[in-house]
Amino acid sequence: MTQIKYMILASRQGKIRLMKWYIPLTQKEKAKILRNLTTTILSRKPKMCNIVEYSDHKVVYRRYASLYFICGITAEVDNELLILEVIHRYVEAMDSYFGNVCELDIIFNFSKAYDILDEMIMCDGSIAESSKKEILFTMSNMDVMENSDNLDRVLS
Amino acid sequence: MGSSLRSFIKDVRAAKTLADERSIITKQSAKIRTKLRDDHLPLERRRKYIQKLLYLYILGEKTHFGQVECINLIASDEFVNKRLGYLSAILLLDESQDLLTLLTNLLNNDLHNSNKFVVSLALSTLGSLSSPELARDLFPDVEIILKQVQDPFLLKKALQCIAKLLLKDISLLEIFAVEDLVALWQNSAICTHGVLLGIVKVLQSILLCFINFQPTEAVEELPKDMIGKLVRFVPSLFKRLQTLNSKNFQPEYDVQGTCDPFLQCEMIYTLRLFFQIDNDEINAYMDKFGDLLTQIATNTDSNKSSGQVILYETTRTIFSLHLDQPLRVLGINILAKFLAGKDNNGKYVALNTLLEVVPQEPLAVQRHRKFISRCLHDPDVSIKKRALELTFAILDASNIKELVNELLQFLDGTTDDDSDLIVYTVDHLVDAFDIHTIAGDDWKLSVFLRILKCVGSYISSEKISDILIEINNTNNMQSKHDAVKQLLTETLENEKTNEITDDNHGWFLVTVWCLGEYADLILGQSANNIVNEESLTRLLIELHFENSLDNPKLINYILTAALKLSIKLTSGKCIDQLRDLIVSHKKDSHLMLQVKSVQYEILFDQPIDVRKSILETMPKFEKVVRTTSDLRNRPLGNTPTKKESAKPDSLIDLLGGDFGSSSNNINSNENDSKANNVGDNINPETTDAMGSDLLADLLGGNNVNTSLSLNKAVSNSVELPSQAQKIHESSSLDIYSVLINSENGSAQIDIYFEAKKNVTDIKCQCAVTKTLKLTMGPLHPSASIKEKEISVQTLKISGSGKLKLRTKLDFKVNGIMTNEQFDHKYDKVI
């Protein structure tokens, strides 16, 4: 049922820190969504609800420190409240992976942030893994393998 | 990650101006482009540039030149290259690109790789970038993983991938073996939550294929026995869901004391899809499903947000499957708890969902109106908006007083930022009064006054007309008197109190209209030192003075009010002042006002008894939805006269008669809406001679033309109806139009061509606004007409929008081709 259309991480200044599209869109459409959403969402007050209607779909967002996590979802199918939990799970996973994650971690290690996201959400935006432990386990295995590649190269 | 990526990111971040940033990015982008083109660049350095490219991607820069490069990285044997290659392929490519065919072989190899992480990367990529061709080519390879592999990590990915491929190419259902799925489901050793998520995802895909299936040439039907094989999942899904829901603590999957809400929701949704398929075997489980949902609803903690997730999913399922009434009420009560809570997201989804269920369970929703009303005052606009919609959805005769009071309180608290909401509220409020009959005119009128006072500047003229109708139709004269008195008193005292702002045009419009109509009510019974002949006259003059430049609409109303007030006054001085006011517009550059001024002056000179009968108070007005047929058959002024037969006929003429027909040009009267609704169809022969003549001359701006053409048309097969209105004239043709009817979504217009010379080969092309659709009938009786003859053409318009016509005419006069073009705007909106 979870069908996330896109996940965008944006800073409080409206800078994009990460974006992932689960539906094919043209460059122009993407740019429009990014532009419109960052202005809409950044201007919302803290006490407002985290669900926004945007064009033909809904957008669920949550702010963590200086970073906004923004998810476009499929109305009628997605459960808005569950998406908030998905975002939270993702943040938790990154928090454990980086150890007290901050915006800079994501900026400089964006490919890791993508990898964690890919372990959690697959294909057309559906949840593939709900266990943080499992995600971290896979991540560390892959990191080890990547490093051993590097090691092999140095040794040879 | 290499240091050079780091320094690139640092440089971009350190840029002081946008121009600096731009130049750093352009430089780097050009460098990446050249470097990647170099075939001898070692993979290690290549990786670095791809990483930089990904950073460019995040910045929203162009990255197309790196697309092939990702594929090269995937082709490498080293894991580190593959990992980055797949990551960048997913980001930089999408499902619509031809490049994907290059991936087929690479993916095929990697799906059989001995390293499970390589396989998992390939599965993720295939799941993200699956064109129908890729889906067909690689489906068997993914299926093999399901059959042979026992590792939950790979299984969960393969299942997600299969689910996606099935949706991509529905014909794959033919070869998909449900038995594999069943085997996995029953093998508890490998059923981690990830694998379960994968299995329900595949089930969802299959069920969606069946639910949305439309036969095509490629796939004429879906495998028939498939659903039968899937049924056995239903009871065991019940069981797993139940266990999961009642499980106490599993740290790995726990979210605030709820066990894996992600999996629970996916399971509930899967079951929902099962019951959307009309299958007897599945339907037999319906009652059990209801029981399970009740159990979940009672078991789950609604105070935690994770519990709310599941409760919300439960209610959505209950409503979408139209489960039994007790369950629906249960769902409504769950949502009401959300409304009572503090969490805004809960409130939002609750309002949203309740809105959908109101038609089925109005009473159960109404019970929670206190909480709904409370949401009207929420600081969050989206919640306010939803609460408003819901309030109007549950509003009926039994609770109208209570809810309207809430709405008025809401309006009191609004600011300029809420103008959309205000307009929405007022529109629906006025409609609500129209639909529901309410005891107590006092209350109703006081509500209108409050609305006007509070947000009069936002009300559309259409709704002002509706409010005027409501005031007009009030039976209780005492209520009417009180309301008018209050209205006038407050306006007169406004100099001191300043409660009504200058831009509150709604308030002033209604005041002026009431003054014209009902001044006698007040003057007769209860004139006092605030409301008296002099003060009312002065009020009109002042309003006239203040608005004469920028508000022709109000001036219009003022002119009519002045005319009507004149017969209600005794003071000669006041009457003279009113006369001066009317006459002052005789040379107005605003045509409408000028025409009116001249007409009213003539009326002013009529003997008092004639004036009195013409300028009587408006009769009770009934809004009628008319159809074309009854429009044609009905005799004059049928609707209003039946009710108010005591009123003199001339009144009807004032409302309708020729005035209606000419309302497009000089529609300026306070009776606008009435004239259009009541008038239009009045046949000249039945009108009272005196009234019709007088009014035709006074109010029917182009009536002269009309009657002339009538005379001319006598001998013709086509006659010009009396209400025809001239919309264009030229040396060879006069064009008239009649709006036959305009109802929700459709209108019919007849266009009459009257020839002044012998005209042949008329070709008429019309265009309407984009939101409308136009169908044109043929010219009748012919496209060639002799002098003084008439031809007619019917236009049928559907859609919604303002009625506007752009017409292009081609015709021949004495064999010479002529063309003309003109625009005409009707004051109707469909």
Side-chain angles (χ1 to χ4, degrees):
Chain A
M1 65 176 263
T2 312
Q3 266 182 45
I4 298 174
K5 289 174 187 276
Y6 47 81
M7 167 95 87
I8 297 162
L9 271 61
S11 74
R12 218 173 35 191
Q13 290 78 30
K15 294 245 188 246
I16 305 300
R17 297 305 184 206
L18 204 74
M19 57 175 169
K20 172 97 182 172
W21 305 87
Y22 295 98
I23 46 166
L25 288 173
T26 63
Q27 199 59 41
K28 221 172 153 188
E29 291 165 321
K30 289 181 187 173
K32 192 177 161 204
I33 290 178
L34 290 174
R35 201 172 51 239
N36 292 345
L37 280 187
T38 41
T39 40
T40 317
I41 288 172
L42 295 183
S43 65
R44 286 177 67 86
K45 299 190 183 77
K47 284 217 169 144
M48 291 183 164
C49 71
N50 299 82
I51 306 157
V52 185
E53 277 150 53
Y54 172 73
S55 108
D56 63 339
H57 59 276
K58 286 186 181 173
V59 176
V60 174
Y61 71 94
R62 183 164 259 179
R63 182 179 163 176
Y64 289 88
S66 58
L67 212 52
Y68 284 85
F69 289 70
I70 303 166
C71 273
I73 59 168
T74 317
E76 312 305 323
V77 178
D78 266 311
N79 177 326
E80 297 95 327
L81 302 180
L82 186 68
I83 300 298
L84 286 169
E85 298 297 338
V86 172
I87 294 176
H88 191 69
R89 257 287 131 102
Y90 178 44
V91 175
E92 278 182 336
M94 284 204 288
D95 199 52
S96 304
Y97 181 82
F98 290 110
N100 227 341
V101 68
C102 69
E103 195 182 335
L104 282 179
D105 290 323
I106 296 171
I107 295 172
F108 284 104
N109 304 290
F110 59 83
S111 68
K112 296 293 176 212
Y114 274 123
D115 287 336
I116 297 172
L117 190 59
D118 286 346
E119 283 308 313
M120 199 174 147
I121 296 166
M122 275 185 72
C123 304
D124 47 359
S126 75
I127 305 175
E129 181 58 66
S130 50
S131 155
K132 186 175 81 178
K133 195 173 128 198
E134 183 68 32
I135 294 169
L136 293 174
F137 180 69
T138 311
M139 280 300 288
S140 72
N141 271 329
M142 300 228 270
D143 288 349
V144 166
M145 203 167 296
E146 197 173 288
N147 290 332
S148 75
D149 270 3
N150 286 335
L151 194 66
D152 285 350
R153 205 175 311 108
V154 175
L155 291 178
S156 67
Chain B
M1 223 175 270
S3 62
S4 64
L5 170 67
R6 242 194 132 71
S7 61
F8 173 38
I9 296 175
K10 273 187 180 157
D11 287 348
V12 172
R13 286 172 55 77
K16 291 225 164 45
T17 62
L18 266 181
D20 280 355
E21 192 185 297
R22 208 52 271 150
S23 90
I24 296 170
I25 291 171
T26 328
K27 225 192 276 168
Q28 197 57 250
S29 172
K31 192 174 169 196
I32 298 171
R33 213 184 274 236
T34 16
K35 287 289 178 182
L36 288 182
R37 226 179 274 147
D38 177 6
D39 289 337
H40 303 291
L41 192 74
L43 275 176
E44 204 185 329
R45 307 249 333 256
R46 225 164 252 274
R47 256 196 338 261
K48 245 168 228 168
Y49 287 111
I50 290 287
Q51 281 170 335
K52 286 187 185 181
L53 190 70
L54 291 185
Y55 186 63
L56 287 182
Y57 168 81
I58 293 172
L59 294 176
E61 300 297 317
K62 282 193 176 128
T63 50
H64 56 276
F65 49 85
Q67 286 170 344
V68 179
E69 204 55 42
C70 334
I71 296 174
N72 288 340
L73 276 181
I74 298 173
S76 149
D77 284 334
E78 283 178 71
F79 181 73
V80 64
N81 291 329
K82 277 196 193 293
R83 192 180 188 190
L84 184 64
Y86 276 124
L87 172 66
S88 43
I90 293 177
L91 292 177
L92 305 184
L93 299 175
D94 69 48
E95 293 190 340
S96 50
Q97 268 151 340
D98 300 336
L99 272 178
L100 290 187
T101 45
L102 294 177
L103 274 176
T104 320
N105 271 330
L106 292 170
L107 284 173
N108 194 353
N109 288 334
D110 284 347
L111 284 175
H112 300 286
N113 199 299
S114 57
N115 181 336
K116 71 171 181 177
F117 294 106
V118 173
V119 182
S120 99
L121 287 173
L123 285 170
S124 297
T125 311
L126 179 58
S128 303
L129 303 169
S130 39
S131 63
E133 295 77 33
L134 272 180
R136 270 191 293 281
D137 291 347
L138 297 174
F139 187 79
D141 301 280
V142 185
E143 227 187 354
I144 286 178
I145 299 177
L146 287 195
K147 286 182 202 297
Q148 295 176 351
V149 177
Q150 295 286 313
D151 181 0
F153 171 72
L154 280 185
L155 281 174
K156 75 177 181 199
K157 301 227 163 185
L159 285 163
Q160 292 283 346
C161 194
I162 290 268
K164 172 76 183 281
L165 299 184
L166 287 175
L167 283 181
K168 269 283 151 189
D169 184 355
I170 199 166
S171 67
L172 292 172
L173 280 178
E174 283 285 349
I175 54 171
F176 179 68
V178 179
E179 291 74 17
D180 296 342
L181 213 56
V182 179
L184 290 176
W185 182 256
Q186 286 165 347
N187 184 349
S188 56
I190 52 168
C191 268
T192 62
H193 285 207
V195 173
L196 290 176
L197 279 171
I199 294 175
V200 293
K201 183 77 193 173
V202 176
L203 288 174
Q204 287 171 20
S205 284
I206 299 174
L207 293 168
L208 281 171
C209 287
F210 276 91
I211 291 168
N212 302 325
F213 181 66
Q214 301 277 349
T216 58
E217 257 176 57
V219 186
E220 281 169 7
E221 59 171 9
L222 296 176
K224 282 198 188 97
D225 54 342
M226 199 145 199
I227 293 296
K229 288 184 201 162
L230 292 179
V231 174
R232 68 177 97 167
F233 276 98
V234 177
S236 68
L237 263 170
F238 286 170
K239 218 167 161 190
R240 281 196 196 253
L241 181 54
Q242 196 176 3
T243 332
L244 200 59
N245 187 257
S246 52
K247 232 176 224 174
N248 290 331
F249 194 67
Q250 247 192 322
E252 204 177 335
Y253 298 104
D254 177 71
V255 180
Q256 295 175 308
T258 307
C259 186
D260 206 340
F262 309 98
L263 182 55
Q264 285 198 47
C265 283
E266 295 284 346
M267 283 183 167
I268 296 174
Y269 181 72
T270 313
L271 285 167
R272 189 208 303 194
L273 292 183
F274 264 113
F275 287 101
Q276 277 176 18
I277 288 181
D278 194 25
N279 176 298
D280 291 341
E281 258 184 282
I282 300 175
N283 289 341
Y285 289 107
M286 194 63 116
D287 288 344
K288 274 201 165 168
F289 188 42
D291 293 345
L292 177 60
L293 289 177
T294 320
Q295 211 178 327
I296 293 177
T298 31
N299 258 352
T300 313
D301 182 0
S302 67
N303 295 320
K304 301 266 173 56
S305 63
S306 56
Q308 287 194 350
V309 174
I310 293 174
L311 289 171
Y312 173 45
E313 194 58 41
T314 311
T315 57
R316 292 208 311 172
T317 309
I318 291 172
F319 297 154
S320 85
L321 291 178
H322 301 284
L323 295 182
D324 293 342
Q325 204 238 359
L327 275 167
R328 291 204 298 262
V329 175
L330 174 74
I332 291 169
N333 291 342
I334 292 175
L335 293 176
K337 245 186 224 166
F338 287 14
L339 284 185
K342 280 191 182 139
D343 177 35
N344 266 351
N345 299 314
K347 282 188 205 167
Y348 174 88
V349 296
L351 290 169
N352 231 349
T353 319
L354 285 175
L355 203 54
E356 287 162 29
V357 83
V358 170
Q360 300 166 36
E361 293 295 332
L363 291 174
V365 181
Q366 273 175 16
R367 221 169 287 145
H368 304 291
R369 57 184 179 273
K370 282 236 159 58
F371 294 125
I372 299 171
S373 299
R374 205 200 284 166
C375 292
L376 286 175
H377 306 288
D378 200 278
D380 189 341
V381 184
S382 26
I383 289 184
K384 263 195 256 191
K385 194 174 146 224
R386 294 286 145 178
L388 268 182
E389 287 172 3
L390 190 55
T391 306
F392 282 113
I394 60 168
L395 190 141
D396 65 18
S398 70
N399 57 23
I400 188 163
K401 283 204 174 180
E402 181 189 338
L403 290 181
V404 167
N405 283 334
E406 290 289 345
L407 289 167
L408 287 174
Q409 272 179 33
F410 161 74
L411 285 180
D412 280 341
T414 50
T415 61
D416 282 350
D417 299 339
D418 304 320
S419 57
D420 288 351
L421 294 182
I422 296 174
V423 172
Y424 178 90
T425 313
V426 175
D427 279 10
H428 284 77
L429 259 180
V430 175
D431 288 347
F433 280 107
D434 207 26
I435 298 164
H436 306 290
T437 42
I438 301 132
D441 288 333
D442 277 343
W443 178 72
K444 184 161 92 178
L445 292 179
S446 74
V447 168
F448 282 135
L449 290 194
R450 241 180 106 181
I451 296 176
L452 281 170
K453 191 167 171 181
C454 183
V455 293
S457 51
Y458 296 100
I459 309 178
S460 64
S461 52
E462 196 188 325
K463 292 300 158 193
I464 295 275
S465 299
D466 286 346
I467 293 179
L468 292 181
I469 292 171
E470 290 287 349
I471 298 178
N472 186 53
N473 289 358
T474 304
N475 286 325
N476 185 333
M477 288 313 276
Q478 189 56 40
S479 312
K480 204 185 248 186
H481 166 262
D482 292 347
V484 173
K485 187 173 174 188
Q486 190 196 341
L487 190 71
L488 293 175
T489 312
E490 287 199 26
T491 313
L492 286 168
E493 284 189 326
N494 197 39
E495 276 174 20
K496 286 178 229 151
T497 55
N498 264 330
E499 276 180 352
I500 299 143
T501 50
D502 285 344
D503 62 349
N504 193 340
H505 62 85
W507 173 276
F508 288 113
L509 225 56
V510 173
T511 307
V512 168
W513 186 83
C514 285
L515 187 108
E517 291 296 320
Y518 305 120
D520 48 343
L521 288 182
I522 314 292
L523 293 174
Q525 284 180 28
S526 51
N528 52 31
N529 54 358
I530 299 171
V531 183
N532 51 43
E533 292 196 3
E534 286 78 26
S535 68
L536 289 183
T537 311
R538 202 174 59 243
L539 174 64
L540 265 191
I541 291 170
E542 271 167 16
L543 282 174
H544 175 252
F545 178 73
E546 282 161 18
N547 294 287
S548 57
L549 291 177
D550 55 349
N551 197 343
K553 191 179 167 82
L554 185 62
I555 296 299
N556 242 318
Y557 274 65
I558 290 176
L559 286 179
T560 310
L563 180 67
K564 287 202 155 189
L565 183 62
S566 72
I567 58 160
K568 293 166 183 162
L569 298 184
T570 48
S571 151
K573 190 180 152 214
C574 293
I575 296 178
D576 281 343
Q577 282 175 337
L578 292 175
R579 191 194 166 92
D580 289 346
L581 190 157
I582 291 174
V583 174
S584 71
H585 284 279
K586 265 174 90 176
K587 290 183 176 163
D588 199 306
S589 59
H590 198 291
L591 182 66
M592 204 163 69
L593 295 178
Q594 191 190 29
V595 168
K596 213 163 208 189
S597 165
V598 172
Q599 291 168 342
Y600 284 0
E601 194 197 1
I602 299 171
L603 249 186
F604 227 108
D605 292 338
Q606 300 294 319
I608 183 75
D609 52 331
V610 175
R611 266 194 290 158
K612 272 208 166 137
S613 64
I614 294 171
L615 301 173
E616 263 292 354
T617 315
M618 302 276 284
K620 191 164 176 181
F621 173 73
E622 279 193 9
K623 278 199 202 167
V624 261
V625 183
R626 286 175 310 166
T627 61
T628 323
S629 60
D630 72 29
L631 182 144
R632 286 190 177 132
N633 300 334
R634 209 170 31 169
L636 153 80
N638 189 345
T639 334
T641 37
K642 263 191 182 161
K643 290 267 172 195
E644 301 277 313
S645 48
K647 303 267 178 191
D649 275 350
S650 51
L651 247 176
I652 314 299
D653 303 330
L654 179 60
L655 284 181
D658 289 299
F659 175 68
S661 66
S662 53
S663 62
N664 288 333
N665 277 352
I666 49 154
N667 97 50
S668 49
N669 200 292
E670 79 271 50
N671 312 338
D672 262 0
S673 65
K674 301 180 171 116
N676 290 332
N677 281 296
V678 181
D680 287 64
N681 59 332
I682 285 163
N683 296 322
E685 64 267 26
T686 45
T687 35
D688 175 280
M690 191 274 294
S692 97
D693 283 345
L694 178 66
L695 284 161
D697 289 336
L698 288 175
L699 301 176
N702 48 14
N703 182 261
V704 185
N705 295 324
T706 325
S707 52
L708 270 178
S709 54
L710 254 181
N711 295 337
K712 286 183 211 160
V714 174
S715 59
N716 247 304
S717 53
V718 176
E719 284 190 7
L720 196 59
S722 62
Q723 70 266 39
Q725 176 209 353
K726 190 187 258 185
I727 57 173
H728 179 68
E729 75 175 287
S730 72
S731 56
S732 11
L733 278 174
D734 278 347
I735 320 281
Y736 299 88
S737 123
V738 178
L739 186 61
I740 301 287
N741 65 329
S742 67
E743 284 161 17
N744 286 344
S746 73
Q748 188 184 338
I749 295 172
D750 281 352
I751 296 195
Y752 293 84
F753 303 85
E754 191 196 352
K756 289 179 176 169
K757 299 171 184 163
N758 289 353
V759 180
T760 55
D761 300 324
I762 299 176
K763 217 174 95 196
C764 169
Q765 291 171 300
C766 294
V768 285
T769 45
K770 272 182 197 158
T771 51
L772 296 171
K773 209 182 141 228
L774 172 73
T775 322
M776 295 182 72
L779 266 171
H780 173 80
S782 92
S784 302
I785 40 177
K786 292 195 185 104
E787 194 178 347
K788 291 182 185 173
E789 278 184 2
I790 293 177
S791 209
V792 61
Q793 185 161 32
T794 301
L795 313 182
K796 287 201 171 120
I797 298 173
S798 58
S800 65
K802 280 190 180 154
L803 276 183
K804 270 193 283 190
L805 273 187
R806 167 159 294 176
T807 311
K808 219 178 125 194
L809 284 175
D810 293 325
F811 54 87
K812 283 181 183 167
V813 183
N814 302 329
I816 302 162
M817 199 66 185
T818 318
N819 52 48
E820 281 174 22
Q821 187 178 324
F822 65 91
D823 290 351
H824 181 71
K825 214 168 109 187
Y826 297 85
D827 61 346
K828 284 274 180 174
V829 178
I830 58 168

